Amino acid sequence: GVASSPLVTYKIFVITGDRRGAGTDANVHLTIFGSFGDSGQRPLDNTGNNFERKHTDVFQIECVDLGELLRIVIGHDNTGAGPGWFLDKVAIESSKGLRWYFPCGNWLADDEGDKQITREIKAIYD
C-alpha cells in the first residue's frame, strides 16, 4: 500500500463583526495554506445559524498536516438576502495545540468597501 500522511484536525473559529447588517446567509468557504500545502476549498457549514452579527462559529476540518499555517482565503457565494458579511477575524487551532490568527476587519460584500467577496489573509502566529 501507499503510505499516507497522518491527518490533523483544524478547529476554525470564525468571528463575525459587530456592524449593522454584518451577518450573512451566503455559503462561506475557506482554503488554508501552509508550508506543506493547502486544504483545498472547504465549505464552512454546520447545523447552526452561522455567521450572525457579533457571533463566533466553530467548524472542524480534517486534512493532512499543513505545517506552519501561512494564509487563508475565505469568501462566500453571494447568495441569500443581504449576503454582505463583515468578518472580524478567523482563528485556527490544530490538534497539535498550535494556534494562528487571521485578522480581517473588513466587509466581504459586493456593495460595501472595496466590493470584494473573497479575502486572502496572512497568518499571525500565537
Side-chain angles (χ1 to χ4, degrees), residues 59-115:
F59 306 92
Q60 281 193 176
I61 65 169
E62 205 173 57
C63 62
V64 296
D65 187 353
L66 299 173
E68 181 67 30
L69 300 192
L70 305 172
R71 62 189 173 94
I72 60 171
V73 172
I74 190 166
H76 62 75
D77 63 0
N78 214 36
T79 60
W85 179 39
F86 191 85
L87 175 61
D88 183 23
K89 63 181 168 270
V90 175
I92 299 177
E93 197 174 88
S94 79
S95 51
K96 295 178 167 186
L98 302 172
R99 185 180 273 233
W100 297 265
Y101 295 93
F102 302 85
C104 181
N106 245 314
W107 285 97
L108 282 74
D110 67 359
D111 59 355
E112 296 274 0
D114 64 6
K115 318 267 190 266

Side-chain angles (χ1 to χ4, degrees), residues 21-48:
T24 188
D25 290 326
N27 298 300
V28 175
H29 53 82
L30 172 77
T31 306
I32 306 169
F33 295 87
S35 54
F36 300 159
D38 69 77
S39 64
Q41 184 172 294
R42 305 288 186 102
L44 294 182
D45 197 17
N46 57 30
T47 56

